[in-house]
Amino acid sequence: MSQQTDYFAPMAFEADVADCQVEGTIPDGLNGAFVRVGGDWAFPPKHKDDSIFNQDGYVSRFRIKNGRVDYKGRWIQTERYKNNRAAGRQLYGYYRNPFDAEPEVAHVDQPWRNTVANTAVEVNAGRVFALKEDALPTEINPITLETKGACDFGGKYKSQTFTAHPKIDPVTGELLTFGYEATGLVSDDLWFYVIDRNGNVTRETRIKVPYVSMVHDWAITDKHVIFPVFGYVTDMDRLKAGKIHWAWDRNAPTYYGILPRDGDAKDIRWFKGPNRGIVHTFNARTEGDKVILEAPIFDSNPFPFFPYLDGSKWNAAESRSFIRRITFDLGSKDDGYVEDTLFPDVPVVDLGRVDERFMGKDNRYAYTSFNDPTKPLDRDRVGTGARRITNSYGIFDMKDQTMRSFFAGTTHSLQEVSFVPRSADAEEGDGWLIGTASNYANMNTEMVIADATRPEEGTVARIILPFRASAQVHGRWYNDDQVDFG
Ligand code: V55
Ligand code: FE
C-alpha cells in the first residue's frame, strides 16, 4: 500500500459508525439519507499521473433519523474491483484506456466492463444506482450498500453507457438520461432516453455528436434537452498509443446540441462558440424561442490530469470557472449564442446545484462552493498538504446577481453542496445546505448542515466522523418517502 500519510492518502477501508458524534442539533424533520459516491485507490494506480476519475468506486451514506446519524461506507464491487481484489494489485491502466490494461482484463470491445462506478448516485423506481459515464448504472442495495450489478432496464436501455447526471423531471417524475460513446470506445453516438417513474424506458433518440468529447453533464427544460460538446478530444490512435482517454484541444469549438424532448434526431440543432469547459450545469429553461442555460463554465482545460494536445502546461489561473448564462435563440438562422458572465469576481468550484424541484424551470438560486480569500485560514493547523482550500458555500441569486455565503471554518475545506428544501412545499431557497467537509487539522471528515436562509450564522449541526472518509464526487439527499434505507 501507499506510504502516503497526509489527508489525501488512500482511505482503503470500509466503515460502519453507529450513532455518530453530533455537534449542534439536527433539524427536526430532516429524516432520510445523504448518499455519496466517489472513489479511492483500492490498489495504487499504474501511473502516478493518472486521473483521480479512475479511482475505484466507493459509496457512503449518512443515515439521519430523528436527530441521530449512522454512517456506512462500502467499495462498489464492479467486475474491475473484484478482479483487482482477486489479483491483489492494480490490473488496469490509464483512465478509460483498455489498451493499457493487462490483456486478460482489457476487453477493448466491451469497455463498460472496466467501469469503476465512482461518480454519482441516482434513484429510479426506488432503486439506487451508482453511476459512471462509461458504463451502465450499477445497482446498490440502499440498506446494506452492497453492489447488486449492472442494470439495463429490462433490456430496453441499449446504449453501452449512461451519464452520471441523469435529470428527474419534477412534474412527471421521469428520469431523462443519455449515454455517449454509446456503441463503443470513441464512437460518435449519443443516445437520449426517457425512463418513467416505474423504470420503463419510454423514449430513445439516437443522435451523432460533432466530435467525440466528454459529455459529462447536460441540462433539461420542460421542452428541450441540451448537450454540451467541448474541448476534450480522443481517438483510437491515442488510446492504442497507451495514453489517457482525453486531451484538451485549444482549437476545438464548443457545441451545444438542443433537442426537443419529443423530437427526432433530425430536430437537433447545434450551436457553436469559442473553446470552453462545461463540465457541470446548474439549470436551464425554455422561454418562447429562447433556451437559457446557467452553468459554471471554465475558460480552458478544467482538469490538470488531462493534458493539452499542444503540450502546453496546465495553469490554474487560465482554467478558472465562472458562473455564466448562455442564451440560445431558436428563432435565429445563425448558430451562435450569447454568453454572459454573472459573477466575474468570484471564481467558483464547478460542482453546482439548484433546488431540484425547479429542474428545467425558471429558478432564482444557484448553489456552489468557492474559496473566500477574506475568511481566515489556520495554516499552522491545516499544514501544507492541502493545496487548494474551498472554505465557503455560495448562494448565488441569479436574478439580482447578489451572493450570500456560508463559511465552514478555519481548518476546513468543503466538498460539493446539496440543497434540501425545508418541506415539500417550502419556497425556493428555504431549506438546508448540506455536504461534507475535510477537517485538515483533526484529519477527519465532517458532514455540515447550515440553514440556507441564514448561511452567515454557520452550521446548525456537524456530524463528526472519527476518520477521513473517502471523498465524494457527487452526493444527494433522499427523504424517507423516496427510498427505503432501513
Ligand atoms: C468527471 C468525473 C468523472 C469522470 C468524468 O467531474 C468527468 C467530471 C469521477 O469521474 O469519469
Ligand atoms: Fe459530475
Side-chain angles (χ1 to χ4, degrees), residues 254-304:
T254 298
Y255 286 96
Y256 293 95
I258 301 189
L259 176 72
R261 277 170 60 161
D262 58 4
D264 299 322
K266 64 171 171 29
D267 299 322
I268 194 162
R269 182 148 167 207
W270 291 98
F271 292 84
K272 189 175 175 184
N275 190 249
R276 294 277 188 276
I278 306 94
V279 182
H280 292 114
T281 65
F282 289 120
N283 204 0
R285 59 189 184 267
T286 302
E287 288 179 1
D289 277 349
K290 302 272 169 57
V291 175
I292 297 147
L293 168 70
E294 292 173 343
I297 297 183
F298 293 88
D299 292 329
S300 189
N301 182 1
F303 302 115

Side-chain angles (χ1 to χ4, degrees), residues 29-34 61-66 126 477-486:
L30 196 65
N31 290 314
F34 183 44
R61 185 191 69 197
F62 290 86
R63 170 75 173 112
I64 302 185
K65 204 169 180 175
N66 302 328
W477 173 264
Y478 292 103
N479 285 322
D480 275 347
D481 57 2
Q482 293 173 284
V483 185
D484 179 6
F485 294 104

Side-chain angles (χ1 to χ4, degrees), residues 180-258:
Y180 75 93
E181 298 193 33
T183 59
L185 216 48
V186 311
S187 72
D188 63 357
D189 294 298
L190 185 157
W191 295 356
F192 164 65
Y193 289 87
V194 178
I195 301 174
D196 71 17
R197 59 197 320 158
N198 301 314
N200 303 305
V201 173
T202 56
R203 186 171 198 91
E204 180 196 70
T205 308
R206 300 183 171 191
I207 64 173
K208 293 279 185 184
V209 288
Y211 61 90
V212 182
S213 186
M214 175 196 283
V215 188
H216 178 68
D217 196 359
W218 62 323
I220 68 166
T221 79
D222 56 358
K223 296 200 172 61
H224 299 95
V225 294
I226 308 166
F227 301 108
V229 168
F230 64 95
Y232 287 123
V233 296
T234 188
D235 58 61
M236 210 49 111
D237 288 343
R238 100 170 257 113
L239 297 184
K240 285 183 177 160
K243 296 179 180 168
I244 202 163
H245 198 89
W246 301 117
W248 185 268
D249 181 355
R250 290 180 186 277
N251 299 316
T254 298
Y255 286 96
Y256 293 95
I258 301 189

